[in-house]
Structure formats: structure tokens, C-alpha cells
Amino acid sequence: MSVPETKELKAEWKTETVLPEYTLKDVAAHNTKGDTWMVIHGQVFDLTEYLQDHPGGADILVDVAGTDATTDYEDVGHSEDAREIMQPFLVGTLKDAQQYVRPKAVRVVSQKSSTEVASSSSSPIKAIACALGGLIPAYYILNRVNLTNRINAVSHLIPHQLKGLKLPHGGFINGFLAASAISTVIGVLVAPKKVIRADPHLTRGFLEPQQYQRLPLVEKTELATNVFKFVFALPTAQAVLGLPIGQHVAIRAEIDGTSVSRSYTPTSNNVDRGRIELVIKCYPDGLLSGKYLANLTIGDEVEFRGPKGSMRYSKGLCRKIGMVAGGTGITPMYQLIRAICENDTDTTEVSLVYANRSEADILLREELERFARLYPQNFKLWYMVDEAEEDWAYGTGYVDQAVLTAHLPGPSLDTKIMLCGPPGMVNATKKNLVAMGFEKPGVVSKMTDQIFCF
């Protein structure tokens, strides 16, 4: 009997049978990689079979094995599809379970000093005074040199209180002040208004966080062995996806009678109207990628839901970002790199170390090198491969501490490191970064962490 069939029978059995009740002490006995139980929202799950399929890697689950992991589960920002994935692994309920209460957000209100309040409240008065300061000499001079008729178009700007002013003669001085005054008035008339533009990446669009919606596949291109670029069409040519930078989407499909969903980060964003693009490695034994996505043909419709994820990038998040990516782990990095480089006002400095088995496996290479060439102040790029030709200009071997020290920013309060790739590489990199002085991240990544794992 196949694993999916076994899970399906388990799910059917649970709907007809009262689940056993366990204590936290019972759950604590299952705390190893070969026997991984945990409690989430009062339900007990045996996730041993799911470890290798977990998007964040097996170690994250093993670290909280045998415990009530509800708080960690909520902190990472899981959505409903995570619950769907876990249901086949439900084995019981927790005795005397307490209802989870989400901590209230603390709002910090800055307290201005009386001097600051006075200064800020007087700014409109200062602006009016400056304008009047230009108009007073303007009317004075115009009155003395009889030039009023030359600028009738702006005479209505002179306050009536100033029209009775009498000031002394003076040829050169009057001429100089007249020119200054006229410049002041014209400046007031033609000064450009400051336009505040909305961030396109925060625009709501097609995605709905609570329900799946179908999109048709319009393009499928093999970029490398088992790696495909999928392009799906949004409902209209001008529609936007509605995905903040740093977040991802869920794809769902029915496979062997079981509902399966996985999360992916698009390489497109809200600037790309009418479509969503994803670069995905379709593992031959992958439940969703190998059995479903790899076999899609043009015109097939796929279910999407989102946005998802605990990362939500915005300009000013930090001054420097170091990135370490492996394989298809480049996709969330590329999303951030593109958003930063294409925003003229974003001065964030990004350094990327991108590891692959060979030069041929490097994904989005043309796009990455284009950003590095056009935006050298924003983006620096370094490749690592296992083996390379003699003329290879980058590194070979493992992403070790020496590589990280040479190509990433050092620890500071205004620096973040972002990781995405094979679990083994990510875990080794975390240890090396901590040895370099970065703060050790928690089991579940949060935006406040100095080391963030997608």
C-alpha cells in the first residue's frame, strides 16, 4: 500500500473514531527524528513521515518535537493550507489543552518634548512668514519704482495690509530687491507639488488569503534539468498579483486522492501585470512538484492562494542585507533584489552568495548579473559551485566561514542575513554566522531576527 493511500485511510478512520487523548508527558516521549510528535492548538500530530517534506527543513520540526509548538507555529505565520497538510498526521488530542491567545501588539508612542511640539506646530506660521517676507519688499519696491502695472498677473497676491506701505527710494537697491521679490512670487506660483506615490508592491490584487483561485498555465520553459519556469495568466492583462515583497503563494492539487499544497516564491511581482511567474525544481519523487507540476501542459489550471509568509520587505528594513542561497532557494532572494534595485529611492546594500553544483545549474543568471552590472551600489554577486572550468571567475567548494566573511557584511544592528536553500547548507551557514558574531536565530524565523530563514 502506498504512503498516500495509508494517509487517506488514516484520515477516514479519524472521522469515524474518537481520537485518543494524550498528556504533555506522553507527547514528550516522542522527541527524536525517528519519532516526532508535537502539539498544535490542542491537537497531537505524529510528523515523523512529514519531516523530509517540510519546506523549512526537518531540523526545525525536530527542535520542537515532544512539546506544545503552538506559539512557534503561530509566530511563523502559517495559513490554512498548513493545517490541511497536517491533518493526515493527526493522532490524538491534548488532555486539558489551553486555548491559545495571540499576544497583543505593543504600540510605541513617541513622546515629544515641549520644544519639539512648539517647533512642529509653528512650521505653518514660518511658511506664511517666509511668503510674506518675500511679498513685503515686492510691493514696497513695485510701489516706489512704479512697476506694478508690469506684473498685474500676480498683484492679487499682495495682502491688502501691505498696500499702504511707503518706503525710501534707492535705484540699485530697489532694482535688486524687485528682481528678488519677483523671483519669490514666481517661485510660489510655479513650485512643483510633492507627489506621494503608493508602493506598487503593497497593492491588493488577485490573491485571496482564505481561498484558492484557478489560473491557467500559458508558458512552461525548462531552464535546467528538472527546473522549469511556469507562467500563469491573471484574469486580465492589467491585473496585479497582490503579493508583498518577501512573501509567497500556495499551490494546491489533488494527488492520489489526497489534497497536497506547497509554497513557492514567484520571480514576478506587482509591477508585472497580467501574469505570475515561478521557477520551480520538480523533483522526480516530489509529491506536488514531481507528480503534478512537472506534468502540467499549456492551458491546465492551477489553484493559488496567498499571500503567505513572515517576511514582508519594505524600504528601510535595514542598511545592509547579506544573502546565502542554494539552488531554487534563489527565488525569494531574487524577488527582494529586484525590488531594491528597481526602486531608485532604496539605498539598501545587498550582497549575495549563490551556491550550486555546477555553472550550468545557476538559475536566473542573466537577470542577476544584469542587476549587479547596472546597480553596483545596491547589489554585489558571488557564485559558489562544486566544480568549475579553469577560467571560472568565482568560488568553488563549500560556503564556509571564510566565504561568508569575504562576501557578506559583518554583524551590526543595521544588518540582516537571509538564507534559503537545502537544509544542510542552511544549518551549516547558521552555525558559521553565529561564530562570526551574528545573533543566533530562533527555531521559527521572525522579521526581527538578525538571521532570517525563508
Side-chain angles (χ1 to χ4, degrees):
M1 183 178 289
S2 67
V3 171
E5 289 172 341
T6 303
K7 292 176 183 176
E8 184 179 3
L9 289 176
K10 282 183 181 180
E12 290 178 359
W13 174 80
K14 288 166 194 165
T15 61
E16 300 173 359
T17 308
V18 177
L19 291 170
E21 198 173 49
Y22 297 97
T23 65
L24 272 177
K25 184 177 180 181
D26 296 329
V27 176
H30 305 272
N31 63 352
T32 66
K33 192 168 186 177
D35 184 18
T36 307
W37 286 28
M38 67 185 63
V39 178
I40 296 175
H41 288 296
Q43 295 182 311
V44 180
F45 296 91
D46 178 358
L47 298 178
T48 311
E49 294 182 18
Y50 179 63
L51 291 182
Q52 298 308 316
D53 288 329
H54 184 239
D59 290 344
I60 289 178
L61 297 182
V62 174
D63 284 345
V64 292
T67 71
D68 187 335
T70 303
T71 299
D72 292 323
Y73 176 88
E74 288 296 329
D75 284 347
V76 80
H78 287 99
S79 58
E80 289 301 317
D81 63 321
R83 297 193 180 214
E84 294 172 9
I85 292 172
M86 291 164 53
Q87 287 311 301
F89 306 102
L90 180 63
V91 295
T93 60
L94 181 67
K95 185 177 182 180
D96 300 324
Q98 300 295 314
Q99 184 175 2
Y100 173 77
V101 178
R102 184 181 295 277
K104 292 183 178 179
V106 178
R107 184 182 177 191
V108 180
V109 180
S110 62
Q111 302 294 327
K112 292 185 178 181
S113 66
S114 57
T115 303
E116 291 174 320
V117 172
S119 175
S120 62
S121 63
S122 65
S123 57
I125 299 173
K126 289 181 179 179
I128 294 171
C130 290
L132 292 179
L135 291 173
I136 289 172
Y139 185 72
Y140 161 66
I141 295 157
L142 295 173
N143 183 54
R144 298 304 300 165
V145 298
N146 197 28
L147 293 177
T148 306
N149 59 331
R150 300 186 187 182
I151 57 167
N152 286 330
V154 296
S155 62
H156 63 283
L157 295 174
I158 303 172
H160 67 87
Q161 292 91 340
L162 305 180
K163 293 184 178 180
L165 289 178
K166 301 294 181 181
L167 299 168
H169 295 276
F172 174 78
I173 297 298
N174 281 348
F176 174 78
L177 291 176
S180 301
I182 292 170
S183 298
T184 300
V185 174
I186 293 174
V188 170
L189 290 174
V190 302
K193 300 291 188 295
K194 184 178 180 180
V195 178
I196 300 176
R197 297 179 180 176
D199 186 346
H201 302 301
L202 300 180
T203 303
R204 286 207 60 181
F206 167 80
L207 289 173
E208 290 290 343
Q210 300 303 324
Q211 68 180 44
Y212 283 95
Q213 301 178 92
R214 291 180 172 274
L215 292 175
L217 179 67
V218 295
E219 181 184 332
K220 179 182 177 182
T221 307
E222 188 167 11
L223 304 179
T225 303
N226 295 327
V227 178
F228 297 89
K229 180 177 81 169
F230 298 93
V231 181
F232 298 87
L234 295 176
T236 69
Q238 293 303 311
V240 298
L241 183 61
L243 187 74
I245 296 300
Q247 303 215 312
H248 43 269
V249 299
I251 292 178
R252 182 179 70 177
E254 194 81 8
I255 301 173
D256 297 333
T258 301
S259 180
V260 179
S261 66
R262 295 289 185 270
S263 296
Y264 299 99
T265 304
T267 52
S268 58
N269 60 37
N270 285 355
V271 175
D272 304 307
R273 294 181 177 271
R275 70 186 191 276
I276 170 177
E277 299 179 4
L278 300 107
V279 174
I280 299 173
K281 186 175 181 65
C282 296
Y283 297 93
D285 57 348
L287 198 55
L288 187 76
S289 64
K291 290 189 175 183
Y292 177 65
L293 294 176
N295 298 315
L296 288 176
T297 58
I298 303 302
D300 288 344
E301 292 191 339
V302 172
E303 291 185 307
F304 287 89
R305 186 171 74 177
K308 297 180 53 188
S310 54
M311 167 58 68
R312 193 183 180 101
Y313 177 81
S314 60
K315 184 182 72 172
L317 176 67
C318 55
R319 192 168 65 88
K320 295 184 178 183
I321 297 176
M323 297 177 172
V324 180
T328 54
I330 190 61
T331 55
M333 308 302 189
Y334 176 78
Q335 192 188 62
L336 266 72
I337 292 165
R338 180 182 171 190
I340 291 168
C341 289
E342 290 181 349
N343 184 348
D344 292 339
T345 66
D346 196 333
T347 59
T348 307
E349 299 174 19
V350 180
S351 302
L352 168 67
V353 175
Y354 183 22
N356 284 279
R357 290 183 178 179
S358 69
E359 188 175 353
D361 294 320
I362 298 174
L363 302 176
L364 301 169
R365 182 173 183 177
E366 183 178 339
E367 292 86 346
L368 291 170
E369 292 179 2
R370 175 178 172 273
F371 284 129
R373 183 174 65 255
L374 296 180
Y375 307 97
Q377 299 304 314
N378 284 113
F379 180 48
K380 291 179 173 57
L381 173 65
W382 186 256
Y383 296 122
M384 293 292 294
V385 296
D386 292 347
E387 296 179 0
E389 301 294 333
E390 290 184 4
D391 59 348
W392 177 242
Y394 299 92
T396 57
Y398 292 108
V399 180
D400 56 20
Q401 190 169 329
V403 172
L404 298 175
T405 302
H407 299 286
L408 295 187
S412 77
L413 295 176
D414 210 10
T415 296
K416 284 187 180 294
I417 304 296
M418 299 182 183
L419 311 177
C420 190
M425 185 200 78
V426 169
N427 291 331
T429 302
K430 282 195 288 188
K431 292 177 182 178
N432 284 326
L433 290 169
V434 171
M436 291 165 58
F438 287 94
E439 296 174 4
K440 183 178 180 180
V443 174
V444 179
S445 287
K446 306 179 184 65
M447 277 193 65
T448 53
D449 291 345
Q450 202 171 31
I451 301 173
F452 182 91
C453 300
F454 284 97

